[in-house]
Amino acid sequence: MVQQYGDTATMTEPDNDATTTARYEEARAAAHRAMSNVTIIPDQPLTPTGAMEPVEDPELLAYRGFKFGAAFFGWLIAIAMSVVLSIAVAAAALGTAEILDYTRADAEAQPGATAITAAAVSVVVATLAFYSGGYVAGRLARFDGGRQGFGVWMFAFLFAVLAAGTGALLNNQYDLLADVNRPDVSLTTDTLTTGGIVATAALLLLTLLFAIVGGKAGRRYHDKIDRLLEQQF
C-alpha cells in the first residue's frame, strides 16, 4: 500500500488481519473464475469500446442455419394438422347446422356471408396448422427456429405451385373441370375474383407469419434448457 504525505511517498505493508486477507482471497478467486471463462484470440477485432466481439463456438456453428429435414417434417405435420382441423371444423359445422336447422337453401340465400365464413375458417385452420408445423421444425433443429418455420412455409408453397401447375397441364390436356358439377353461386365474377385475391393474400401472409412464430416458439424450449444448464455450471 502506498501512502503519500506532501512530497514524499511511503510504502506500508498490507494489513494482516483475517478480514482483509479473506476479502483479498475472495476477490482473487472471483477474478480467476471470470478469466477462466474468457477465450482470447489474438486476431479478434475489437469493438469501438475496446471490448472483444463474442466468439461463436465453431462446433455450434455446424448445427446452425436452415435444416432441410426439420423443415420437411414440419411441413408434414402442418399438412396432417390441416386435415385433422378441417375434419373437426366440418364435424362442428354439421352439428351446428343440424341443431339450428340450417339448410343448403339458407346458405344459397346468403352467398356472400357463406363465402366469407368459409374463407375465414379455412385461413384460420391453415394458420394453426402452419404454426404447429413451424413449432415442430424449431424443436427438431434446435437452432434458428425462424428459419425452420420459413422452410416449412416454403415447402408448402413449392408443392402448391407444383400441384397447381400439374393440375393446369392435366386440365389443358383432358378438360377435367368440364366434368365437375359446380354449384350455381349468385355472385358476380368481379366479387368472386376480389374475394379470392384477398383470401389468398391473407392465407399466404398469415401462414408465413405463424410458421416463423411457431419455429421460434419451438426453439425457446431448448433455450430454457440451456439457461438451466448454465445456472448449474
Side-chain angles (χ1 to χ4, degrees):
M1 182 184 302
V2 178
Q3 295 180 349
Q4 185 171 352
Y5 300 94
D7 296 332
T8 62
T10 60
M11 180 71 70
T12 62
E13 293 295 329
D15 297 334
N16 294 324
D17 58 273
T19 303
T20 303
T21 303
R23 290 179 179 176
Y24 172 76
E25 293 295 336
E26 182 180 354
R28 182 178 180 183
H32 178 73
R33 288 195 301 269
M35 292 300 297
S36 63
N37 295 327
V38 176
T39 301
I40 300 177
I41 301 178
D43 297 332
Q44 180 69 18
L46 298 178
T47 61
T49 58
M52 297 182 65
E53 292 285 351
V55 180
E56 188 72 36
D57 191 342
E59 295 183 357
L60 292 181
L61 288 175
Y63 294 96
R64 301 188 71 91
F66 174 73
K67 301 301 178 183
F68 182 91
F72 178 76
F73 283 106
W75 171 71
L76 292 180
I77 293 298
I79 297 298
M81 285 298 299
S82 64
V83 173
V84 171
L85 292 174
S86 297
I87 293 174
V89 169
L94 289 175
T96 303
E98 190 68 24
I99 294 174
L100 299 178
D101 195 18
Y102 189 81
T103 62
R104 180 176 178 178
D106 297 328
E108 292 178 351
Q110 298 177 335
T114 304
I116 292 174
T117 302
V121 171
S122 300
V123 170
V124 171
V125 166
T127 299
L128 295 177
F130 273 85
Y131 177 85
S132 302
Y135 181 85
V136 171
R139 285 285 296 270
L140 288 176
R142 192 182 191 283
F143 296 107
D144 299 321
R147 292 184 181 180
Q148 318 313 325
F150 178 75
V152 171
W153 184 87
M154 281 302 300
F155 267 111
F157 180 77
L158 292 177
F159 276 104
V161 171
L162 180 61
T166 303
L169 180 61
L170 292 175
N171 182 66
N172 189 33
Q173 292 288 334
Y174 304 104
D175 195 16
L176 300 177
L177 292 179
D179 299 330
V180 178
N181 185 16
R182 290 165 291 183
D184 186 13
V185 180
S186 57
L187 292 175
T188 63
T189 303
D190 292 339
T191 302
L192 290 175
T193 302
T194 303
I197 293 174
V198 172
T200 302
L203 180 66
L204 292 175
L205 292 177
L206 289 177
T207 51
L208 173 61
L209 176 62
F210 275 79
I212 295 175
V213 172
K216 292 183 177 181
R219 179 191 171 177
R220 279 199 290 269
Y221 172 82
H222 297 285
D223 292 340
K224 292 180 180 179
I225 296 177
D226 292 339
R227 285 194 294 267
L228 290 176
L229 292 176
E230 289 176 358
Q231 292 176 1
Q232 292 179 359
F233 296 98

